[in-house]
Amino acid sequence: MADTPLQVTGSEEKTEDQLTVTNVVVGALKRAVADVQDYSIMVGRGLASIFTGPHYVQDILQQMDSIGAGSLPIILLSGFFIGAVMVLQTGSQFTRFGQSSLTGDVVAIALVRELGPSLTGLLVTGRCTTGIASELGSMLVTEQVDAMRAMGTDPIHKLVAPRIIATLLTLPLLTAMTDFSGLVGGCVASIFSLRLGVVEFWRRAIDALDFADLMQGFTKPMFFAVILATVGCYRGLTVRGGTQGVGRATTQAAVISSVMIIVADAFLTKVALYLGGKLF
């Protein structure tokens, strides 16, 4: 009776009735809410697994090498030229008012507070979040994750937690390297473009920074690290559709994590400025 023509026709009519704009929108919203819920659960379990065993130290070290050392060349190169561009743009305006010496102040504050953390987060997202999503997605498609569960290994402890820990440890260090590289690039541009001395540039750049600036600049990477690591893990562990699904998950991981970092940066900046005025 389950395969009778009458029941098949009724099923088709029911499907046609459901294909309305309202049902499509409602279905998309339900899927979005379900994704947010599942992602939040995975983030909670991943962060909790940091403080509970077992800890896979070898996996953590491998991920630190991949995320930290692997991202260092693009971080240094991008930071150097970002600092140089900032000097060229701001220096031309300060020169009009005879205040070219303020260039070091502006470059240092902008790099440490904003450009260093956000630039590092976006660059690491483009390189590592996509890699995490594709790696875990390939493991899921080839049933390696199912085999891991069958052997009694929790994928959250084995796959998610090492990547979160490695990103938390390496992203602040990469941000510091971005800041330093940007200041070096700004110094070089100041010497050849504004005819400023090396000592004058670094003295003004260091004197312009205070403890609140450093706290703001090195707190943001901690949040960005959790975002880019967890988004890559979630998209990789929820792949559907075989190898094509892996490609879609990789693209989605890069887009979602980049947008989340930019949105989080806006809120973190507001909170940091408020706390900086109250506490420091």
Side-chain angles (χ1 to χ4, degrees):
M1 294 297 293
D3 297 329
T4 57
L6 180 61
Q7 291 183 350
V8 172
T9 304
S11 177
E12 291 177 354
E13 291 177 355
K14 184 178 180 180
T15 303
E16 291 177 358
D17 293 339
Q18 291 178 348
L19 294 179
T20 62
V21 176
T22 303
N23 290 336
V24 171
V25 173
V26 171
L29 290 176
K30 288 181 178 179
R31 289 191 296 271
V33 172
D35 285 339
V36 173
Q37 178 181 349
D38 294 340
Y39 171 73
S40 301
I41 293 173
M42 193 208 72
V43 172
R45 293 182 60 192
L47 294 177
S49 64
I50 296 177
F51 306 100
T52 59
H55 296 292
Y56 298 91
V57 179
Q58 186 65 33
D59 293 337
I60 295 174
L61 294 177
Q62 290 178 355
Q63 293 301 319
M64 289 179 64
D65 178 71
S66 175
I67 296 172
S71 301
L72 193 58
I74 61 173
I75 290 297
L76 294 176
L77 186 64
S78 300
F80 180 87
F81 285 102
I82 287 293
V85 169
M86 287 187 60
V87 168
L88 295 177
Q89 291 287 355
T90 59
S92 62
Q93 301 301 318
F94 285 132
T95 302
R96 295 171 55 188
F97 303 99
Q99 297 293 331
S100 58
S101 60
L102 294 176
T103 304
D105 302 53
V106 175
V107 172
I109 293 175
L111 277 174
V112 173
R113 280 189 176 185
E114 182 60 35
L115 287 179
S118 57
L119 177 66
T120 305
L122 293 175
L123 288 175
V124 176
T125 293
R127 182 187 179 276
C128 299
T129 303
T130 53
I132 292 172
S134 61
E135 180 182 2
L136 298 187
S138 299
M139 293 178 65
L140 186 68
V141 170
T142 56
E143 300 181 351
Q144 296 182 47
V145 177
D146 295 334
M148 192 177 299
R149 290 194 181 98
M151 296 174 62
T153 303
D154 187 0
I156 298 296
H157 283 85
K158 178 67 175 177
L159 301 177
V160 178
R163 287 164 173 81
I164 295 177
I165 296 173
T167 312
L168 284 171
L169 293 176
T170 55
L171 197 63
L173 298 177
L174 290 175
T175 302
M177 297 303 298
T178 303
D179 296 339
F180 178 74
S181 177
L183 289 174
V184 171
C187 180
V188 173
S190 298
I191 294 173
F192 292 100
S193 178
L194 304 179
R195 299 297 187 269
L196 290 178
V198 176
V199 176
E200 181 182 5
F201 177 88
W202 283 101
R203 180 178 58 81
R204 295 299 300 260
I206 294 173
D207 291 342
L209 298 174
D210 54 22
F211 185 73
D213 298 327
L214 297 177
M215 287 298 297
Q216 179 177 344
F218 289 101
T219 301
K220 290 180 180 180
M222 305 297 289
F223 292 91
F224 297 163
V226 174
I227 290 174
L228 66 91
T230 54
V231 170
C233 292
Y234 177 74
R235 299 313 307 178
L237 294 175
T238 56
V239 167
R240 298 292 183 272
T243 55
Q244 293 182 349
V246 174
R248 288 192 299 268
T250 301
T251 304
Q252 292 172 355
V255 174
I256 293 172
S257 58
S258 298
V259 173
M260 288 181 64
I261 286 175
I262 294 173
V263 173
D265 182 50
F267 289 99
L268 292 173
T269 299
K270 180 62 178 178
V271 173
L273 291 176
Y274 174 78
L275 294 178
K278 297 292 183 179
L279 302 178
F280 307 109

